[in-house]
């Protein structure tokens, strides 16, 4: 028998006044009791707290949360998540003018900070100093300095953040949690770059592309599992792999194969008998998506360990309450609702963190969870306070590991959550089929280990209904090129008689030379249906939907909606089955976190005989994989449920950068030089006339070199074949490199790609047609001279990005000059005038190059510096200077030193000190001061 709740008070709870005067556990307990007894609503309390000053709201919310229990505690978390901070309108405090007359904020502690506002050049230190100087207020300079001290503390060490986290978590992890600690840094696939900075992920076993480059890691993980792997034994993701091998292996080979799950009857299994040396087993198994989940391998090693005992000294609910009501989180929400490049990224972080209040919330008395929430809070400070977008994006990458830990410990999600979430997401993106689903159309979604697993499973189901047969690739030019690994044998006719009723296509290609209109795809499928006979199995359309664009500007519909709307009648009458295949392996919600997973969504006739068979086969594949309850399943479901609305916003943001790169930074005139911009797709392919583009990309110091799609920062993938298939080994120099644009500013895109793009196409700034391609210092000088000849009124984009264009040529020269000192005059010319229009990351890179190359000089005396300045003037124009002298070079060195934090300048500082004469000019004094500060760092 239920007991009715007491009436809820409409004013304030007992003890509220004392609690506001002295917030502590004792006063919070009185207030919380009214909520626990349901005489005061949790919603009213959340709204009252939202009117307190930012730092008070966080402290008071945490105290109240710590006193609540059961469903009331969870309800309070959810109510707090739904209420934003109410900011009072108060005038900013005035900062007194310094006694020495200098600019407020211009002090030693701020010189080395990342003071480049996203999309707006350098931060005005005078304006910054006017902020309320409150260390608890995320809008204040004091809070900024505290957060950036964190950045510099992390960056000045030699240990990557993820490695620090593994060390820290080892001390708090309980029984059965070691695998979660070992996974820190594993989710974000490795960059092939070295020296990516310590605010980055690092893991000894991580692969640049787990599905194909996992060999060494797989061996080490198998050892942890104590698996006795003999000759011919291969670890695969499911016992159902044997069924999928029927597509590509002859019966006599299949007869020698056996398969056994490692534990129980599902999940990772050992395939035995793969001893035929004439077969490329690695390629065959990769092609059908048989690679085992790395996270499940980690987890299986501790599967039989008991759960850790509760640690009542920690309270993850109180920690989460403090986090989501903090001043920093409120600032994150403000950025998310703005128009800067970080807006969609911050919106994603906001939704994923608020989503932690869903379901049963985090495990309350778990030390690992509490520690992950503390790290989330620290990284959040960096995201919202460090105005350098690249640093913020690195911090977001790291946040995904912390969120994954909280989710994996709680294990709140299961298979039903995945099914419901994927259906909700699909019907949001394809609303035209919503009235048909459940009535005429059966819809089911199944969690796979990769996109190729989804594709291989779809083909296996479709072909098994036909007793073999070849598939048609009607969309050859826009096909996802890696499907060739799977379809090669079938396409060459090495299997049974060809068929035309199984079509593999890509909604949007990862090699975007052209985009097939949804109308063409629909018409092609409907035309194919005309040849279908009454007793034939349903026509099968297998559609790769990994790269989904957003709403079209005129129709307001997604391409997925257009396709399914055109085909829903054929699905409903049983003549067509549609298999939607999606990869999450390198990202979920496009760019926010790596997971080893994919999705297979099947649409078929409701209650049709063939449909029931197809749906059952798909379900059996999912059940045998058994992913949803494991670590990666928790993160996938959470990201889909709480971040799906952000996926397409992230796509639009990155695609905007791709369009800009294609138009301004690296325009191409034909497909031999690269792909055009395809609306909504953040991917571009580039080459150069004589080939060999990969080598030049590999020298780009500021762009990640990765093995798949972009994360949040811009990256590239080399050796990508074009739409006509992979070239022969002798033609490899003609392969393309794919640019995966991220969420940095437009000025950063210019700095990354303008020089390489214009040099590779022989298009100096302002040129109307190509000239000679010259990828050397002569070409750089010619382009620099051409840039000086373009007036601002002639080209608005060049006027806007002129400094970033110069920086791009400087970076190219630094990365490609044979003799290092050759670039010194150019760098002096660059830093001779203010460089505030250039992103802080690029300025820091070029500053480091200038100071390190200055150490090649024997001395920095007046004659040497004047000579260096003369050489700069001869080769590279310095605007507004007719007769520069040593002072100009010293000013350039000072500007370079000012943008570097002390720890970054320290390696060059002693050499510069030894080479700098003891002069008394203000430039020499300033440079000596900066050198001394660096030596003390």
């Amino acid at each position: 028998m239920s007991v009715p709740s007491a009436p809820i008070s409409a004013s304030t709870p007992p003890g509220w006044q004392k609690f506001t005067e002295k917030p502590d556990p004792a006063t919070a307990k009185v207030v919380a009791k009214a909520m626990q007894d349901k005489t005061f609503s949790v919603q009213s309390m959340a709204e009252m707290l939202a009117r307190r000053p930012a730092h008070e709201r966080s402290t008071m919310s945490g105290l109240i949360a710590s006193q609540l229990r059961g469903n009331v505690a969870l309800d309070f978390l959810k109510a707090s998540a739904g209420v934003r901070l109410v900011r009072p309108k108060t005038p900013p405090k005035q900062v007194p003018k310094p006694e020495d007359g200098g600019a407020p904020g211009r002090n030693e502690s701020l010189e080395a900070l990342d003071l480049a506002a996203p999309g707006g050049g350098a931060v005005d230190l005078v304006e910054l100093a006017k902020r309320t100087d409150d260390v608890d207020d995320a809008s204040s300079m004091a809070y900024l300095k505290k957060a950036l001290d964190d950045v510099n503390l992390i960056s000045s060490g030699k240990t990557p953040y993820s490695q620090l986290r593994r060390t820290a978590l080892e001390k708090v992890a309980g029984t059965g949690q070691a695998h979660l600690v070992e996974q820190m840094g594993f989710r974000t696939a490795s960059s092939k770059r070295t020296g990516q900075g310590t605010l980055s992920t690092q893991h000894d076993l991580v692969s640049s592309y787990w599905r194909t480059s996992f060999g060494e890691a797989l061996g080490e993980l198998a050892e942890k599992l104590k698996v006795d792997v003999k000759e011919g034994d291969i670890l695969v993701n499911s016992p159902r792999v044997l069924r999928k091998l029927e597509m590509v292996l002859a019966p006599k080979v299949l007869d020698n194969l056996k398969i056994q799950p490692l534990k129980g009857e599902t999940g990772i299994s050992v395939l035995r008998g793969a001893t035929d040396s004439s077969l490329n087993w690695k390629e065959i198994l990769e092609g059908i998506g048989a690679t085992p989940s790395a996270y499940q391998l980690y987890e299986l090693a501790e599967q039989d360990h008991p759960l850790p005992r509760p640690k009542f000294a920690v309270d993850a609910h109180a920690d989460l309450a403090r986090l989501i009501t903090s001043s920093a989180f409120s600032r994150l929400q403000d950025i998310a609702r703005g128009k800067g490049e970080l807006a969609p990224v911050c919106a994603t972080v906001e939704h994923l963190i608020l989503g932690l209040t869903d379901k049963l919330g985090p495990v309350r008395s778990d030390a690992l969870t509490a520690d992950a929430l503390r790290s989330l809070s620290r990284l959040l400070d960096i995201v919202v306070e460090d105005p350098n977008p690249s640093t913020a994006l690195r911090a977001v990458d790291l946040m995904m590991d912390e969120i994954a830990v909280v989710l994996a410990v709680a294990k709140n999600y299961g298979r039903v959550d995945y099914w419901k979430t994927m259906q909700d997401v699909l019907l949001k993106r394809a609303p035209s089929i919503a009235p048909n689903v459940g009535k005429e159309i059966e819809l089911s979604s199944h969690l796979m280990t990769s996109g190729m697993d989804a594709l291989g499973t779809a083909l296996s189901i479709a072909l098994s209904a036909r007793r073999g047969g070849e598939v048609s690739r009607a969309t050859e030019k826009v096909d996802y090129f890696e499907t060739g690994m799977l379809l090669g044998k079938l396409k060459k006719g090495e299997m049974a008689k060809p068929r035309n009723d199984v079509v593999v296509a890509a909604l949007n290609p990862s090699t975007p030379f052209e985009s097939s209109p949804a109308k063409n795809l629909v018409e092609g499928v409907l035309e194919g249906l005309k040849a279908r006979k009454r007793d034939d199995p349903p026509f099968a359309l297998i559609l790769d939907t990994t790269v989904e664009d957003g709403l079209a500007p005129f129709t307001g519909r997604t391409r997925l909606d257009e396709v399914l709307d055109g085909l829903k009648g054929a699905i409903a009458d049983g003549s067509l089955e549609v298999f939607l295949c999606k990869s999450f392996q390198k990202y979920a919600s496009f760019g926010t976190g790596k997971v080893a997973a994919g999705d297979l969504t099947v649409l078929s006739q409701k209650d049709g005989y063939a449909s029931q068979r197809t749906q059952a086969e798909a379900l059996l594949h999912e059940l045998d994989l058994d992913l949803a309850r494991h670590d990666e399943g928790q993160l996938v479901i959470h990201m889909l449920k709480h971040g799906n609305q952000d996926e397409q916003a992230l796509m639009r943001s990155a695609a905007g950068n791709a369009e800009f790169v294609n138009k301004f930074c690296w325009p191409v005139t034909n497909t031999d030089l690269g792909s055009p911009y395809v609306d909504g797709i953040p991917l571009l392919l580039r080459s150069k006339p004589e080939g060999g583009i990969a080598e030049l990309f590999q020298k780009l110091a500021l762009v990640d070199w990765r093995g798949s799609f972009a994360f949040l920062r811009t990256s590239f993938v080399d050796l990508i074949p074009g739409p006509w298939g992979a070239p022969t080994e002798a033609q490899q120099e003609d392969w393309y490199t794919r640019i995966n644009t991220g969420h940095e500013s437009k000025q950063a895109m210019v700095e990354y790609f303008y020089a390489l793009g214009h040099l590779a196409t022989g298009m100096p700034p302002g040129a109307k047609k190509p000239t000679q391609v010259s990828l050397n210092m002569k070409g750089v000088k010619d382009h620099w001279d051409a840039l000086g000849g373009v007036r601002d009124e002639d080209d608005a984009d060049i006027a806007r990005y002129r400094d970033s264009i110069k920086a791009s040529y400087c970076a190219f020269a630094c990365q490609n000059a044979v003799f290092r000192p050759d670039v010194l005059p150019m760098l002096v010319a660059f830093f001779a005038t203010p460089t505030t229009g250039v992103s802080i990351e690029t300025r820091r890179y070029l500053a480091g190059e200038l100071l390190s190359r200055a150490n090649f000089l024997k001395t920095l005396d007046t004659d040497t510096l004047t000579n260096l300045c003369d050489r700069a003037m001869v080769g590279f124009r310095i605007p507004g200077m007719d007769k520069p002298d040593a002072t100009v070079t010293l000013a350039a060195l000072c500007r370079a030193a000012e943008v570097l934090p002390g720890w970054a300048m320290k390696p060059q500082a002693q050499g510069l000190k030894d080479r700098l004469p003891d002069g008394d000019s203000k430039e020499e004094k300033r440079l000596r001061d900066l050198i001394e500060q660096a030596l003390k760092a």
Side-chain angles (χ1 to χ4, degrees):
M1 179 177 176
S2 61
V3 179
S5 301
I8 294 179
S9 169
S11 54
T12 61
W16 174 252
Q17 186 62 37
K18 289 184 177 179
F19 180 55
T20 58
E21 293 170 357
K22 184 185 178 183
D24 62 20
T27 56
K29 188 173 184 178
V30 178
V31 174
K33 187 177 186 304
M35 299 164 63
Q36 197 75 51
D37 294 340
K38 299 186 179 180
T39 58
F40 194 82
S41 76
V42 293
Q43 183 66 36
S44 296
M45 177 54 64
E47 291 172 356
M48 287 172 60
L49 290 170
R51 294 183 176 87
R52 308 295 299 181
H55 63 282
E56 288 185 16
R57 182 195 185 199
S58 178
T59 300
M60 296 168 76
S61 295
L63 286 167
I64 289 175
S66 68
Q67 302 298 323
L68 297 173
R69 294 292 177 266
N71 289 336
V72 178
L74 291 171
D75 290 344
F76 178 65
L77 282 177
K78 293 170 187 174
S80 299
V83 181
R84 290 200 59 199
L85 178 70
V86 179
R87 293 188 180 277
K89 296 182 179 179
T90 56
K93 291 182 180 179
Q94 295 298 314
V95 178
K97 187 175 181 180
E99 293 181 3
D100 61 2
R106 194 69 176 175
N107 56 53
E108 173 185 333
S109 64
L110 287 176
E111 292 295 349
L113 301 183
D114 284 337
L115 295 175
V123 167
D124 186 333
L125 293 179
V126 177
E127 290 302 315
L128 183 65
K130 291 180 181 178
R131 294 180 185 174
T132 305
D133 201 20
D134 183 347
V135 75
D136 292 316
D137 185 347
S139 66
S140 72
M141 181 193 286
Y143 200 102
L144 169 72
K145 289 161 67 175
K146 182 186 71 170
L148 293 178
D149 281 346
D150 255 358
V151 176
N152 285 334
L153 180 64
I154 295 167
S155 301
S156 61
K158 296 181 179 180
T159 307
Y161 190 82
S162 54
Q163 186 174 332
L164 292 173
R165 292 295 296 135
R166 288 196 297 275
T167 301
L169 290 175
E170 284 173 359
K171 301 173 183 177
V172 298
T175 58
Q177 294 182 328
H179 68 285
L180 298 177
V181 176
E182 290 175 0
Q183 288 175 22
M184 297 298 287
F186 189 86
R187 272 175 192 83
T188 302
S190 61
S191 171
K192 296 180 182 180
R193 294 265 187 243
T194 57
Q196 284 293 297
T198 48
L199 191 70
S200 63
T201 56
Q202 176 275 337
H203 199 290
D204 292 339
L205 297 185
V206 75
S207 160
S208 62
Y209 201 0
W210 173 256
R211 183 172 58 76
T212 58
S213 311
F214 60 90
E216 183 179 344
L218 187 58
E220 290 197 31
L221 289 170
E223 286 184 18
K224 289 178 179 289
L225 285 168
K226 298 180 171 60
V227 179
D228 184 16
V229 179
K230 301 174 183 177
E231 183 181 356
D233 288 358
I234 303 174
L235 284 183
V236 293
N237 57 9
S238 161
R240 196 154 285 258
V241 163
L242 204 55
R243 293 286 301 273
K244 292 165 72 173
L245 285 170
E246 294 173 2
M247 291 187 291
V248 289
L249 295 180
K252 64 179 182 180
V253 178
L254 287 167
D255 290 343
N256 295 324
L257 299 178
K258 295 182 180 180
I259 200 161
Q260 176 64 49
L262 283 182
K263 296 187 179 183
E265 298 179 352
T266 62
I268 294 177
S269 306
V270 181
L271 177 69
R272 294 195 163 94
T275 55
D276 189 336
S277 58
S278 67
L279 296 173
N280 186 338
W281 290 98
K282 182 177 184 292
E283 182 178 300
I284 290 170
L285 292 168
E286 288 172 3
I288 63 171
T291 306
S293 159
Y295 310 102
Q296 200 170 354
L297 282 166
Y298 273 113
E299 194 173 356
L300 283 174
E302 291 195 297
Q303 181 173 285
D304 300 326
H305 291 205
L307 292 175
R309 293 182 178 181
K311 301 285 186 182
F312 296 111
V314 301
D315 188 340
H317 285 187
D319 293 338
L320 183 55
R322 277 188 286 269
L323 174 59
I324 64 176
T325 59
S326 67
S327 180
F329 196 81
S330 178
R331 187 168 173 80
L332 177 86
Q333 293 174 309
D334 289 341
I335 298 172
R337 285 150 184 79
K339 295 182 179 180
E341 60 264 20
L342 289 182
V345 177
C346 288
T348 304
V349 173
E350 175 194 4
H351 296 143
L352 293 181
I353 292 178
L354 290 179
L356 296 177
T357 66
D358 195 19
K359 296 284 280 186
L360 302 176
V363 174
R364 185 159 195 167
S365 298
D366 179 71
L368 196 65
T369 299
D371 201 276
L373 290 172
R374 280 193 290 273
S375 180
L376 262 182
S377 182
R378 184 187 195 192
L379 292 168
L380 177 64
D381 281 345
I382 293 171
V383 171
V384 302
E385 291 299 341
D386 194 323
N388 177 5
S390 182
T391 301
L393 296 177
R394 289 179 189 277
V396 173
D397 276 345
L398 295 167
M399 293 177 89
M400 295 305 133
D401 265 335
E402 311 294 352
I403 292 172
V405 166
V406 176
L407 295 168
V409 172
K411 276 193 167 49
N412 290 332
Y413 295 118
R415 189 175 291 115
V416 175
D417 296 292
Y418 183 76
W419 295 341
K420 187 177 185 305
T421 298
M422 279 304 297
Q423 177 168 307
D424 290 345
V425 172
L426 179 63
L427 295 185
K428 281 181 185 176
R429 297 179 182 184
S432 62
I433 65 168
N436 307 87
V437 171
K439 297 177 181 178
E440 303 164 285
I441 295 177
E442 185 76 22
L443 167 64
S444 65
S445 294
H446 309 278
L447 187 58
M448 304 278 117
T449 50
S450 67
M452 288 303 290
D453 185 15
L455 180 65
T457 299
L459 270 169
S460 174
I461 295 171
L463 294 179
S464 65
R466 290 159 174 77
R467 300 181 183 277
E470 186 178 343
V471 299
S472 168
R473 301 179 73 195
T475 53
E476 183 79 31
K477 280 194 174 183
V478 298
D479 207 349
Y480 181 45
F481 74 90
E482 285 183 305
T483 57
M485 297 168 60
L486 174 58
L487 303 179
K489 286 181 176 292
L490 300 169
K491 187 174 170 56
K492 293 173 185 176
E494 295 178 14
M495 301 296 291
K497 182 180 178 180
R499 300 184 66 102
N500 292 319
D501 59 353
V502 180
V503 174
V504 178
L507 186 69
N508 286 304
S510 61
T511 51
F513 280 88
E514 57 185 86
S515 181
S516 176
K519 180 181 177 183
N520 292 1
L521 180 60
V522 170
E523 289 176 351
V525 172
L526 294 178
E527 183 66 28
L529 286 174
K530 294 178 180 179
R532 181 177 177 270
K533 298 176 182 178
R534 180 175 180 178
D535 295 329
D536 284 346
F539 190 103
L541 170 62
I542 299 171
L543 191 60
D544 179 1
T545 60
T546 290
V547 183
E548 289 190 55
D549 54 3
L551 300 178
F554 299 110
T555 65
R557 302 173 67 186
T558 65
R559 294 187 66 222
L560 180 62
D561 189 38
E562 293 174 357
V563 170
L564 294 182
D565 188 25
L567 298 176
K568 64 184 179 183
I571 300 171
D573 68 23
S575 58
L576 170 67
E577 293 178 339
V578 176
F579 301 81
L580 305 178
C581 305
K582 191 175 182 71
S583 171
F584 298 135
Q585 184 161 6
K586 281 295 181 291
Y587 54 88
S589 293
F590 207 87
T592 51
K594 175 192 171 192
V595 286
D599 172 70
L600 172 62
T601 292
V602 182
L603 296 102
S604 60
Q605 181 187 29
K606 178 72 174 175
D607 298 328
Y609 175 77
S611 172
Q612 289 176 341
R613 177 195 171 281
T614 296
Q615 294 288 354
E617 281 287 318
L619 179 59
L620 287 171
H621 275 280
E622 179 190 1
L623 294 176
D624 277 353
L625 280 168
D626 189 26
L627 291 176
R629 67 185 177 89
H630 291 285
D631 295 346
E632 68 270 42
Q634 302 304 303
L635 184 58
V636 171
I637 298 168
H638 187 79
M639 297 185 90
L640 288 169
K641 185 172 184 178
H642 298 287
N644 72 80
Q645 72 271 34
D646 301 307
E647 177 181 355
Q648 292 177 332
L650 288 166
M651 284 282 287
R652 287 192 296 272
S653 168
N657 275 340
E659 183 177 22
F660 177 72
V661 169
N662 183 71
K663 177 185 176 183
F664 181 67
C665 304
W666 197 334
V668 294
T669 54
N670 60 70
T671 54
D672 290 336
L673 297 177
S675 65
Y677 169 68
V678 175
D679 189 34
I681 307 302
L683 308 169
L684 297 169
L685 274 74
R686 288 296 180 264
S687 186
K688 62 186 182 72
E690 67 275 20
I693 193 66
E695 182 181 357
L696 290 169
F697 264 94
Q698 289 161 14
K699 294 178 182 178
L700 294 177
L702 299 174
V703 185
D704 273 352
W705 176 15
R706 293 191 180 273
S708 189
F709 291 98
F711 284 68
L712 295 173
R713 285 170 290 122
T714 298
S715 64
F716 70 88
V717 186
D718 53 9
L719 299 181
I720 298 288
W724 309 280
T728 64
E729 187 174 345
Q731 297 172 315
Q732 283 193 6
E733 67 271 16
D734 295 326
W735 284 17
Y736 296 86
T737 291
R738 186 176 66 210
I739 298 171
N740 314 302
T741 49
H743 303 278
E744 301 94 332
S745 63
K746 295 291 189 294
Q747 68 190 50
M749 295 298 116
V750 174
E751 291 152 20
Y752 295 164
F753 299 119
Y754 190 96
L756 177 54
H758 282 71
L759 288 165
T761 53
M763 289 286 288
K768 302 301 181 185
K769 58 182 180 179
T771 60
Q772 183 179 2
V773 173
S774 184
L775 289 155
N776 52 32
M777 282 302 294
K778 180 183 182 304
V780 170
K781 289 179 180 179
D782 290 344
H783 280 230
W784 188 286
D785 287 342
L787 176 64
V790 180
R791 298 175 302 174
D792 286 355
E793 55 268 29
D794 294 337
D795 191 311
D797 283 333
I798 285 181
R800 180 177 181 182
Y801 298 110
R802 188 178 294 273
D803 287 344
S804 290
I805 293 171
K806 290 181 180 180
S808 186
Y809 282 106
C810 286
F812 180 89
C814 290
Q815 293 152 16
N816 291 276
V818 176
F819 187 52
R820 286 172 61 86
D822 278 354
V823 188
L824 259 178
M826 186 179 189
L827 293 172
V828 168
F830 176 73
F831 280 105
T833 55
T835 59
T836 52
V838 179
S839 70
I840 187 65
E841 185 180 30
T842 301
R843 279 193 287 158
R844 283 187 165 185
Y845 167 69
L846 295 177
E849 290 290 325
L850 173 57
L851 297 181
S852 66
R853 290 164 195 262
N855 273 325
F856 277 82
L857 302 174
K858 292 182 179 180
T859 179
L860 297 177
D861 60 21
T862 301
D863 289 342
T864 302
L865 296 175
T866 301
N867 179 52
L868 186 55
C869 197
D870 288 341
R871 289 167 55 202
M873 282 295 292
V874 170
F876 307 95
R877 300 177 189 174
I878 304 176
M881 294 188 185
D882 297 325
K883 296 181 179 180
D885 55 19
T887 303
V888 175
T889 305
L890 278 170
L893 292 172
C894 284
R895 285 194 180 93
E898 285 173 348
V899 300
L900 286 175
W903 59 266
M905 183 181 166
K906 191 170 185 176
Q908 315 301 334
Q910 189 60 54
L912 293 171
K913 181 179 181 181
D914 294 341
R915 288 165 172 76
L916 186 65
D918 191 19
D920 58 1
S921 69
K922 65 177 183 180
E923 290 81 11
E924 288 170 303
K925 290 178 180 178
R926 176 65 178 146
L927 186 55
R928 273 196 297 273
D929 287 344
L930 292 166
I931 289 171
E932 291 300 328
Q933 293 169 22
L935 290 172
K936 295 174 183 177

